[in-house]
Amino acid sequence: MAAAETSGTVAAPGRWSLHGKMALVTGGTRGIGRAVVEELAALGAAVHTCSRNEAELGERLKEWEARGFRVTVSVCDLSARDQRERLIRDVANRFGGKLDILVNNVGTNIRKPTTEYSADEYSFLMATNLESAYHLCQLGHPLLKASGSGSIVFISSVAGIVALFSGTIYAMTKGAMNQLTKNLACEWAKDNIRTNCVAPGYILTSLSEGILANKEFEGSVKSRTPLRRVGEPAEISSLVAFLCMPGSTYITGQTIAVDGGMTVNGLYPS
């Protein structure tokens, strides 16, 4: 019997690898950021990451070196414009003026009623969550373009898609990030830069551990989740890695919710 004919192209070597890629992951010492750093490094990428906490950076760096990961670090407060500029200069010097992957992960939250936010709290959340990501894209654009195949991944939240009751300012920053994803995907496609967004639900991180410590609240979250559990950081980092791989080169402008099926099944808001 004659061999069956096949259509399409044969998968190229390295299609599911990041070997030789250079990545910047912001906020990489804990939670989702740490998982992303380790995922990308395990797949062969050289990764640079940053944090405001110098001691924590040092601890993580020792762990990564012991595992054979190619990771370098910078102490950086991304809410400050001059420190963002210094970070990108450092990355450009380390990576020879090119950058293949930019993962905008840094984010924080202050949960309180809308009427109780101060002007300083508003400015801090906007600068940390949104302005930093926007500015790093601006600064990183020449490096991503120089790579010939750049990939930007934003770490957003389902709070930017539905009313999650996690604070209006946090939700505003994530909603804006989702829209930024679409616009950059269209504007920078000509430069061979793809832009996608991952929007997690409740994930076991230092940002959520306080609120999830309330067993009644945790039970409420799980009861509205088809998978009946909170997510793990590695379940986010695997998707981020895919969006950075050669195997995803036709995917751009997408915001992908990773929340155990809550929004997909119409179970938000409560």
Side-chain angles (χ1 to χ4, degrees):
M1 181 181 293
E5 292 185 1
T6 60
S7 61
T9 58
V10 176
R15 184 172 171 80
W16 307 113
S17 168
L18 293 175
H19 182 73
K21 299 293 185 180
M22 297 171 288
L24 169 59
V25 180
T26 63
T29 58
R30 60 176 73 178
I32 292 171
R34 178 179 178 179
V36 171
V37 168
E38 295 176 359
E39 190 93 40
L40 300 187
L43 288 165
V47 183
H48 189 79
T49 192
C50 61
S51 170
R52 291 177 295 183
N53 190 323
E54 185 173 5
E56 200 168 70
L57 270 175
E59 291 173 7
R60 294 292 90 77
L61 187 58
K62 290 178 182 177
E63 295 170 5
W64 293 328
E65 289 176 344
R67 297 174 66 179
F69 292 159
R70 292 186 297 158
V71 181
T72 53
V73 301
S74 293
V75 178
C76 180
D77 181 353
L78 288 178
S79 67
R81 186 178 185 88
D82 63 331
Q83 294 196 39
R84 296 193 293 264
E85 292 170 343
R86 186 175 64 200
L87 173 65
I88 292 299
R89 286 196 299 269
D90 190 14
V91 167
N93 290 334
R94 290 178 183 275
F95 292 153
K98 296 181 181 181
L99 184 66
D100 300 296
I101 298 163
L102 170 59
V103 180
N104 285 297
N105 166 72
V106 159
T108 190
N109 195 12
I110 301 171
R111 292 180 174 86
K112 57 171 57 178
T114 300
T115 55
E116 296 181 11
Y117 283 106
S118 69
D120 286 344
E121 288 171 335
Y122 175 88
S123 296
F124 173 69
L125 288 174
M126 293 298 287
T128 303
N129 293 5
L130 181 60
E131 183 185 329
S132 69
Y134 174 80
H135 191 208
L136 286 178
C137 287
Q138 282 187 313
L139 295 171
H141 175 266
L143 308 183
L144 292 159
K145 183 178 179 179
S147 81
S149 181
S151 177
I152 299 171
V153 180
F154 295 100
I155 304 299
S156 178
S157 168
V158 293
I161 301 173
V162 296
L164 193 58
F165 307 112
S166 60
T168 53
I169 301 175
Y170 178 81
M172 288 163 58
T173 64
K174 297 305 184 179
M177 186 177 286
N178 299 345
Q179 191 61 24
L180 177 60
T181 298
K182 297 177 183 179
N183 281 265
L184 289 185
C186 295
E187 183 179 338
W188 289 356
K190 67 182 186 302
D191 299 322
N192 293 317
I193 300 172
R194 296 182 299 113
T195 307
N196 290 290
C197 186
V198 176
Y202 284 101
I203 306 297
L204 292 172
T205 68
S206 58
L207 190 62
S208 65
E209 64 184 2
I211 191 168
L212 290 173
N214 181 322
K215 295 304 179 183
E216 182 178 353
F217 181 82
E218 182 186 29
S220 174
V221 170
K222 290 180 177 179
S223 70
R224 290 178 283 137
T225 307
L227 293 179
R228 293 295 188 267
R229 64 179 178 84
V230 175
E232 298 282 348
E235 293 175 307
I236 306 302
S237 64
S238 58
L239 176 56
V240 173
F242 167 70
L243 292 171
C244 299
M245 287 181 172
S248 66
T249 49
Y250 202 57
I251 301 174
T252 193
Q254 303 303 305
T255 294
I256 305 171
V258 188
D259 57 11
M262 286 185 280
T263 51
V264 171
N265 289 277
L267 299 178
Y268 267 134
S270 60

